Every structure is written in C-alpha cells, then in structure tokens.
Amino acid sequence: MLKRFKRFILRLFGKKPEIRLGIYGPPNTGKTTLANRICLDFTGEELGTVSEVPHETREVQKKERVVIEHNGKRMTINLLDMPGISTKVDYKEFMKFGMKKKDAMLRSKEATRGIVEAIKWLDNVDACLVVFDSTKNPYTQVNVTILGNLEAKGIPIIVVANKIDLKGAEPEKIRDAFPQYHFVEISAKEGKNVDKLYKEIIEKLG
Amino acid sequence: MARKKEKKKGVKIEFLSRSILEGKSFDEKLDFIMEKVKSDVILVLEEGLTPEEKKKLIERSVSEIDDNFPGIEFSGFNSNPGIFEKILSVLTGQERKEGLVIVGSSKIMEKVGEEKDMISLLAKME
C-alpha cells in the first residue's frame, strides 16, 4: 500500500518511479533467456548464463536502471531474474546430465537456497513477469502459488508464455488457465513478440 | 513356532478431516504435515490452503531438503470464492478454505497430471 502511495506521489510531481520487476516461474521456463533478451536490447550486455540443466540460476540476478523504450515511451526498471521455484530438488536429476555426485549435491544445496530467496523476494517486488514454458502443463501448484501470492499483494502481473518457437507449444492453454491476467506469448530465444511484451510492461506495469 | 510379523509393502495414505488441524497455528500445522510427509505418508487434507500457506509449505519443505528427502509433491483443488464469501471473510477476519490438498514426499509420490478439476498421481513403491 505504502509503495503504491509513493508511486502515486512521484507521478503527481511528474516523476516516473523506478520499478523492481521480478521474473518468476518454475525452473527451465526461460527466465534468464528473457532477462538476457531485455538486458541485451536496452543495455547491450547479458545478465546471466543459461543451461539445459535445471536450476542454473541459483541466486537472484539483478540489473539496475534498465530503461525500456517502446514507441517513444520509456520506463526505468530494476530487473530481478529469480531462481526457478520448485517443490523438490533431487541431486540425482543433475547427475543425469553427466554431473558428478559431489557437484550435483552442491548444486542441489545452492538451488534450495535460491528457491527460498526467490520466495522471500515475493514481498519486495513492484511488478512481475511470470514465465511459463508453452510446451508444459501450466496448471501446477507452483504456478498457482506464485500468481496467488502476487495477486493477494496487489502486485501487477504479466503472464508470459515463452518458448512458442518450440514444436508442441500451446500458449493458448496458459491463457485459458489464467484468463484474469495480462498475457503475452513470446520466444525469448528468438526475440519473437518481445516488442509486444515491452509495450505491455510500459502500459500495464508502469 | 511364532511367525515373524511381515512388514507390508506399500504407500500409506492418511485422510485428515478439517477438525484434526483446527485450532492449530499454521506453523504447527506445517510441523505436523512435514513430520508425516518425511515419514513417507501421503496426506489428503480436507481443508484447502491459501496462497500464503502454500508459499510457506514450499519454503519449509525446500528448506528441509537433504540427501534423503528430495522435497514434496502437492496438488489440490482451489476454491474460487465469490464476492459474498470474500466480503464475509473480510468482515469476520476468517478465511474459509474450501478445497482439498494432497501432499507427499516426491520420493514416493509423482504428479502425473493436474488440471483445475482433475488430479492424477502415481504412488511409487520401491
């Protein structure tokens, strides 16, 4: 409530507030790929590394004062790429990707810390992109929990259906599962529809 | 000769009515749930969970992950309160949580599918 009032006062005096924009979602939905796309488009450098092994992002990655532009409109965001949230982390899963047991167990420990950190940040973001993999079932308890908590706090959300470049992508399933939220379907990897996303961020989250 | 009691193989499922957890704080409920789940019991709770409670359940279970406990699977039907129920919960300060929650260790429970009105689970027997 206080944050909203502060933003209202800033707007009243013609100042645009900076927004802490969190990128949330389960592991491997393309959150860091999207964060990299945004950072590359507006700052010229990437934010984090991506990998097919789940839980590549195990700490919150931050990029401050990213100025997003679309059709002459601007908005300054502090971008927060969150570790993927899941209810389980099994080190044996990492070993399937050729990782040694010791490394897999360390990754598992770091991943659990990252999940807890991401959950704690839910109270401290001003707006969110919740990223889904369009080839997967959207109706999971992790997704319902993320969206439910953000909604309960009145934090504006855009549901982002990512990976529409993949065969079998069904972004309409995501839109139909959560029709109450702003929705954009994109391919962060190929850059498809990211302009639409920037427009939505400025118009709906600013 | 006395027969040696054979340990039965299988997955234990406990169905808990709303009244069992009634009167407990959510932290106490979490203690109860985690103790059962870590003993490889699948719990079916009559009462649903709020988004805040689900967040706490994920946070708590992930914090307890170690070499023997890989985390949880949970599913449930979510209530969609109407405007009257929302006003009533604001006025009374009590949120009535309709729905159903199924929670278990991911070691023994695998979610196969989940829709708004259908859940399918696989109990793993090693």
Side-chain angles (χ1 to χ4, degrees), chain A residues 4 7 11 16-23 34 38 68 74-79 125-130 150 154-160 181-184 196-206:
Chain A
R4 281 189 185 176
R7 281 164 65 179
R11 282 211 186 88
K16 284 197 173 176
E18 285 176 18
I19 299 246
R20 270 176 297 191
L21 180 67
I23 303 183
L34 176 58
I38 295 171
I68 292 186
R74 299 173 122 209
M75 183 173 145
T76 305
I77 58 166
N78 294 322
L79 194 64
V125 290
D126 301 311
C128 270
L129 305 178
V130 182
L150 293 169
I155 294 168
I157 302 161
I158 296 175
V159 166
V160 180
Y181 304 111
H182 304 301
F183 172 84
V184 184
K196 280 187 190 169
L197 178 62
Y198 298 151
K199 180 175 178 279
E200 286 287 298
I201 291 174
I202 291 171
E203 288 180 1
K204 305 293 190 318
L205 306 183

Side-chain angles (χ1 to χ4, degrees), chain A residues 85-91 105 112 115-116 119-120 122-123 137 139-141 144-145 148-149 153 176-177, chain B residues 51-52 54-55 58-59 61-63 65 67 70-78 106 111 113-116:
Chain A
I85 295 180
S86 62
T87 59
K88 56 183 177 180
V89 183
D90 192 347
Y91 73 90
M105 287 169 90
T112 57
I115 294 169
V116 173
I119 290 173
K120 290 199 188 304
L122 279 168
D123 294 328
N137 169 32
Y139 203 80
T140 67
Q141 287 303 313
V144 169
T145 303
N149 275 275
K153 291 182 175 71
D176 295 345
Chain B
E52 174 75 17
K54 286 180 187 174
K55 184 183 84 172
I58 296 175
E59 196 175 353
S61 56
V62 166
S63 304
I65 288 175
D67 300 350
I72 59 164
E73 281 285 5
F74 81 105
S75 292
F77 297 122
N78 303 288
S106 62
K111 194 154 40 187
E114 186 170 13
E115 301 293 330
K116 265 184 183 167

